[in-house]
Amino acid sequence: MKTHKISTLVLIIIALFSYQANAQDGYTYTLIDNGSYNFTIAAVPNTSSNNFATSVQSYGFTIILPDGVTASITSSLGGAASATFFDGGAVGEPANDGYLITETLGSPASLTAPSAGTTSNIVTIQINGAPTSGGMYILENNSALATTVTPLKSFMQADMIDNGMAEFVNVVDPNTEGVSGMSSFDFSTLSVEETNELATLSIYPNPVKDIIRITNTNVDLIKAEILNLNGQLVLSKENNLSTMNVNSLQSGIYMLKLYSEKAEKTIKFIKQ
């Protein structure tokens, strides 16, 4: 009986060790600066001797941006990633906005085996306009926001075990940061020579039904643009820039971009 108990204990220890070894395999997300306000979010494998190529079925992560700044997806692992915008004010962060970026691949995509330590590009985004202050970052899984709004947590459903079966599990730890390397970027480092001549500019009313009035600027505006949350231009104007008629727009959230010869400013508004 004693021999049987010892054998059972050994088997339990081996099983626990095997589970812990497997649990070491996984990924974090990192940010790559491509220049010109273009960034790639890439997957970084944890240190591992695993020689089995990772098969990715789906993934997701959240990008936080300064209030009023928008981004567009230019490429992704499966070519069909979507970005769901959310207003930071709705989640207790009025100075920020965000995008939940997700993709479910029609056919799983293969990443280099973790043992190679290769960083794999997942999604590339273009920051619209040229923000001169604030920064962007990948939301950490253990942050207060991600803990409160759990759908914003990073994940990757992937198969990393060479057992002849397709078993897709989350390989990004939901209880730690889930990021590594560079995970944030300060936009002010890109534009130290820009002036702030539009700092006092404002608009009213907001929300608006038809006419936006632009006030509090001592400089001449040369252009005004309105973009939707996908970064698409929906209205443009280059004269009589004290007002803009938005009556033709559908209800929703938009970005008004105002330009002078030396600066630009983006203001978020709601069309009723």
Side-chain angles (χ1 to χ4, degrees), residues 256-271:
L256 172 63
K257 296 190 65 176
L258 300 165
Y259 299 84
S260 70
E261 289 288 353
K262 296 181 179 180
E264 63 181 65
K265 182 173 182 176
T266 301
I267 303 174
K268 181 172 63 177
F269 72 92
I270 299 173
K271 168 63 169 65

Side-chain angles (χ1 to χ4, degrees), residues 28-32 42 44 119 138 177-185:
T28 56
Y29 288 112
T30 193
L31 194 63
I32 300 171
V44 182
T119 297
I138 305 171
E177 289 185 347
V179 298
S180 60
M182 187 180 87
S183 60
S184 63
F185 187 87

Side-chain angles (χ1 to χ4, degrees), residues 31-104:
L31 194 63
I32 300 171
D33 176 18
N34 303 318
S36 301
Y37 291 96
N38 186 267
F39 298 88
T40 295
I41 297 85
V44 182
N46 296 340
T47 301
S48 173
S49 60
N50 187 347
N51 292 315
F52 180 64
T54 300
S55 181
V56 179
Q57 184 181 60
S58 64
Y59 62 84
F61 51 83
T62 298
I63 295 295
I64 303 297
L65 295 165
D67 183 41
V69 174
T70 64
S72 304
I73 295 174
T74 58
S75 65
S76 67
L77 186 63
S82 62
T84 302
F85 174 86
F86 62 90
D87 187 339
V91 291
E93 295 201 11
N96 297 317
D97 287 330
Y99 287 93
L100 172 60
I101 298 176
T102 58
E103 183 173 20
T104 298

Side-chain angles (χ1 to χ4, degrees), residues 130 132 194-199 219-223 257-266:
T132 61
E194 287 289 346
T195 64
N196 198 26
E197 61 183 0
L198 301 184
V219 298
D220 293 329
L221 296 176
I222 60 173
K223 183 170 63 172
K257 296 190 65 176
L258 300 165
Y259 299 84
S260 70
E261 289 288 353
K262 296 181 179 180
E264 63 181 65
K265 182 173 182 176
T266 301

Side-chain angles (χ1 to χ4, degrees), residues 18-239:
S18 298
Y19 172 79
Q20 290 171 350
N22 287 336
Q24 292 174 2
D25 281 341
Y27 284 82
T28 56
Y29 288 112
T30 193
L31 194 63
I32 300 171
D33 176 18
N34 303 318
S36 301
Y37 291 96
N38 186 267
F39 298 88
T40 295
I41 297 85
V44 182
N46 296 340
T47 301
S48 173
S49 60
N50 187 347
N51 292 315
F52 180 64
T54 300
S55 181
V56 179
Q57 184 181 60
S58 64
Y59 62 84
F61 51 83
T62 298
I63 295 295
I64 303 297
L65 295 165
D67 183 41
V69 174
T70 64
S72 304
I73 295 174
T74 58
S75 65
S76 67
L77 186 63
S82 62
T84 302
F85 174 86
F86 62 90
D87 187 339
V91 291
E93 295 201 11
N96 297 317
D97 287 330
Y99 287 93
L100 172 60
I101 298 176
T102 58
E103 183 173 20
T104 298
L105 290 86
S107 299
S110 180
L111 304 185
T112 306
S115 59
T118 302
T119 297
S120 301
N121 293 349
I122 302 297
V123 172
T124 297
I125 62 174
Q126 182 68 44
I127 303 301
N128 301 311
T132 61
S133 62
M136 66 176 293
Y137 64 91
I138 305 171
L139 184 66
E140 300 91 344
N141 278 350
N142 60 356
S143 66
L145 176 56
T147 301
T148 303
V149 189
T150 55
L152 298 181
K153 287 193 173 188
S154 298
F155 71 91
M156 181 189 293
Q157 294 292 331
D159 182 8
M160 299 182 67
I161 303 174
D162 187 9
N163 60 359
M165 301 175 63
E167 299 177 326
F168 296 97
V169 299
N170 183 19
V171 296
V172 176
D173 192 336
N175 299 311
T176 60
E177 289 185 347
V179 298
S180 60
M182 187 180 87
S183 60
S184 63
F185 187 87
D186 185 357
F187 292 129
S188 66
T189 63
L190 293 177
S191 53
V192 294
E193 296 181 356
E194 287 289 346
T195 64
N196 198 26
E197 61 183 0
L198 301 184
T200 61
L201 185 148
S202 63
I203 65 172
Y204 77 93
N206 189 9
V208 59
K209 290 183 178 180
D210 45 26
I211 304 297
I212 292 177
R213 301 188 183 280
I214 303 166
T215 64
N216 298 336
T217 180
N218 295 320
V219 298
D220 293 329
L221 296 176
I222 60 173
K223 183 170 63 172
E225 295 178 339
I226 294 179
L227 295 82
N228 62 23
L229 293 179
N230 294 321
Q232 298 169 318
L233 180 66
V234 294
L235 281 178
S236 180
K237 191 177 181 183
E238 296 184 3
N239 51 62

